[in-house]
Amino acid sequence: MVATNILSLYHLSTTVQSPKPPPPVAIPIPGHLIRHLNDIRAAINHLTRHSPSTPSSGTPAVPRDLILHSQIGPIASSCHHHPDLLHRYMNYTPFSTCPYDPDLQETLILNGCHPLPRRRCFSKTPSKPTSSLPLNPFPTALPDFSVIWNRYSCKSFACLLQNNPIGFDLNAQRSSLLKYASELDLPVNRFMQLAKSANSVIRLGIDIGGGTGTFAALMKIFYNVTMLTTTMNVNAPYNEAVAARGLVPLHVPLQQRLPVSDGTMDLVRCGRAVNRWIPLPVMEFMLYDVDRVLRGGGYLWVDRFFSKAVDLEKVYEPLIGKLGYKRVKWAVANKTDPSGLKNGEVYLTAVLQKPVSRLSFDEAYSYSIKAEIRAYGACFHISTIALAFAYAYAYVSDSSVPPFLHEFWGFVAITIRVEVLICEEAFDYKSTHFRCLHNAVLCILSDVGFAKPEWYLAFSYR
C-alpha cells in the first residue's frame, strides 16, 4: 500500500509534455444532406410547438385578425395561458365520477379556453328521472331537482327568484316581452307582424344572452318557432333553467363562434346581456358571426342595448351600419336609472333586416346612380313636355314663355350631367358601368325633339 501511494504521488507530480494533436481536417458535408437535416430540425420544432430556428423568408405572415381572434375566442390555442386552471380541471380519479366544478369551467371558457371533455370519468347528474320534468315552458315553478346546487349560494329556484327577480321571474319576463310601454319596447306579436308584412318566414333563431330562455319559450308556444338560447351559468344555473323548460341551451360565451352553419337562421336576437361592457373587438366579431348565420332576408333584433350616447353615435351605430342592413326599427331613449343618468347612457332597440343579395361596392354604387338617372330622366321628360306646351301656347297666344320653365329645364339637365360626372369619378369611363350610364343620358336627350345643342354637346364631350 505504501509503495503504491508513493508511485501514485510520483506519477501525479510528473508533468509529461505530449505533442499537440494535429487540427482536425474539416470533412465537407454535401448540400443535400444539409437540406435534409434542416427539414428534420424544422419538423422537430413544429412537433414540439416551437418556432423554427431559421424561418424561411417565404413564410406568409399570420393575419392580425386571426391573432386577435385567437386571443379572445374560446379555442384550444388560448388554453396554454392558464396551465394552473387546466391542471385543476384535469385532476380527477379515472373511471369514477367527475368533479363537479362548474365555476372552474366557466372561468376557463370566459378566459378563452373551451377545455376538452374529461376522457376517463363520468359526469355527475341529478338523481331524479327526467320524465318528471314539466312539459309547459311556463311552469308554476321550475323543478329544483333538475339542478345540482353544490356550487351555488342558493339551493332552490325560489331562493334565486327572491335574490334575482329580474333573472328568474318568468311571469315578469313574459309580460315585458309582450307589452308596449315606450318606443324601446317591441312586443313579440308586433315583430311577427312586421316579418309577415315583409313576406318573411320565421322558423329558426338564436337568442344571444337569453338568460332563462323566456323569449324562446314565447316563440315556441305562440308561433312554433325553434329558438336556441346562448347563456352562461354565472352565479346561477341558467342552462339548467332553460333545459328544464324544454328548450335548447347553448353553453357558449359571447365571443365564441355560433355553433350553427352559414345562412341557416331566420332571426338572431341580442338580449340585454349584449351591452357596452363587451370589448369592441368582441362586439365586431359577434356582429359578423351573426351575419354569417343569418339567411338573406333574416332579422337581427337588438333589444335595449345600452351605452353612452356619444359612444352610440360615434362607435356602435357606425359599427352596426357596416353590416349594410335595412333599418326596420331604430329607437333610442335615455337610460333613466341612476347609473344611466350619471354616465349619460341611452338605450337602443333596433330591428335590422339582412339583404337578400349583396352587391359589391361598384355594383351598389352603379345601381344607385342608375336609379337616380332614371328618376332625373323622368323629371327631364316632364319638364320638356311642359316647355313644349308653353311654346305652343306662346305661339298661339302671341305671348312669351314663363322664365321658370327654362330654369327648371336647365336645372334638371345640369343635375343629370353632375350625376354622370360623379359616376365618371367612381368608374373608369371605358368601363361597362360608365358606358351604360353615359348612353342612357344621351338617349334621354335624344328623345327630346328640341333639345338644345349645347346641352347635348356637354354630355358627349368624350
Side-chain angles (χ1 to χ4, degrees), residues 18 95 129 131 150 174 189 197 228 230 290 321 357 449:
S18 59
F95 309 111
S131 59
N150 297 359
R174 177 175 179 168
N189 58 345
S197 63
L228 307 176
T230 74
V290 168
S357 61

Side-chain angles (χ1 to χ4, degrees), residues 3 139 157 181 196 206 220 251 271 294 301 325 334 350 433 439 441 448 461:
F157 283 111
K196 184 178 180 181
I206 301 178
K220 177 182 178 180
H251 190 207
L294 276 177
W301 180 352
Y325 285 13
N334 292 328
H433 300 291
N439 293 338
V441 175
V448 181
Y461 67 96

Side-chain angles (χ1 to χ4, degrees), residues 12-68:
L12 291 175
S13 62
T14 304
T15 57
V16 180
Q17 300 293 332
S18 59
K20 294 183 178 180
V25 179
I27 302 175
I29 302 176
H32 70 277
L33 182 58
I34 294 177
R35 289 192 298 271
H36 187 59
L37 290 173
N38 287 335
D39 292 341
I40 294 175
R41 183 182 296 110
I44 293 174
N45 288 331
H46 177 72
L47 292 175
T48 55
R49 297 181 181 180
H50 289 88
S51 301
S53 57
T54 56
S56 61
S57 58
T59 304
V62 179
R64 293 180 60 187
D65 283 352
L66 182 59
I67 296 176
L68 179 61

Side-chain angles (χ1 to χ4, degrees), residues 257-276:
R257 183 180 189 268
L258 295 171
V260 294
S261 185
D262 299 0
T264 54
M265 297 292 107
D266 306 315
L267 168 65
V268 175
R269 175 181 175 269
C270 295
R272 302 186 187 185
V274 180
N275 282 303
R276 70 178 181 92

